[in-house]
Amino acid sequence: MATRRGPRFKECRRLGVNACGHPKALKRLDSPAFKKTHKVSEYGKQLIEKQKIKAYYGIMERQLQRYFDMASKAEGKTGEALITTLECRLDNLVYRLGFANSIRMARQMVTHGHLTVDGKKITIPSHHIKVNQLISLREKSRKNEQFKKCFFSTNSKPIPYLQKNEDDFSGKLISIPQRNEIPVEINDQMVVEFYSK
């Protein structure tokens, strides 16, 4: 299974957004060494928006192409359907609920079998979560200090479509995410234009 292993901070500076969620990711963004001096073409802008999606959700090109094909057949706007579908991936919701401090850590937790969905162990990061499905940390994994520290972190902001239960290390998707609620800085239309060529 292919995974993204490139330098995260470097990618965040290049894209101009904190895609990995680390507080120091954009620390050197204003440094003269990273100032862009050339004009970016329309194609270049579309490419950057597409790369942002891959960085935010930790997916590869072939996966993104497949998700776009699914979104183009869905009702409503293609760009919004794409982001909503990606937001409902298991590894992403594990990250949003605070089980992990990065999308990479969330993916690893899922593949190593630390989480269950409605009581059943799921080890596929791309598993699609439906409304009211319960994501829980397995009993034996609750003793892990790093997992506990992440889950009880006060830095995690409440997200409207998620419900977190700190008493039993669980959380659930309570509604379909709306595009304006999803915390990603992406121009959906540019991504649609990129793939429509």
Side-chain angles (χ1 to χ4, degrees), residues 35-72:
K35 289 289 183 184
K36 293 180 181 177
T37 55
H38 62 280
K39 187 177 179 182
V40 182
S41 67
E42 192 63 28
Y43 173 81
K45 291 176 183 175
Q46 293 170 358
L47 181 63
I48 287 171
E49 295 303 317
K50 185 202 68 154
Q51 299 293 69
K52 282 182 186 178
I53 292 184
K54 289 166 65 177
Y56 270 118
Y57 294 102
I59 58 176
M60 307 297 279
E61 182 62 39
R62 186 178 289 182
Q63 288 175 296
L64 180 55
Q65 179 71 63
R66 190 168 67 247
Y67 279 116
F68 181 81
D69 291 341
M70 288 167 53
S72 61

Side-chain angles (χ1 to χ4, degrees), residues 53 68 71 76-84 179 188-189 191-192:
I53 292 184
F68 181 81
K77 295 182 179 178
T78 301
E80 291 184 6
L82 173 64
I83 303 298
T84 300
R179 179 62 187 94
D188 313 345
Q189 187 55 37
V191 179
V192 174

Side-chain angles (χ1 to χ4, degrees), residues 13-14 24-37:
R13 287 195 300 268
R14 179 168 54 81
K24 295 182 180 179
L26 298 178
K27 191 174 181 181
R28 294 191 292 161
L29 183 64
D30 296 327
S31 172
F34 300 107
K35 289 289 183 184
K36 293 180 181 177
T37 55

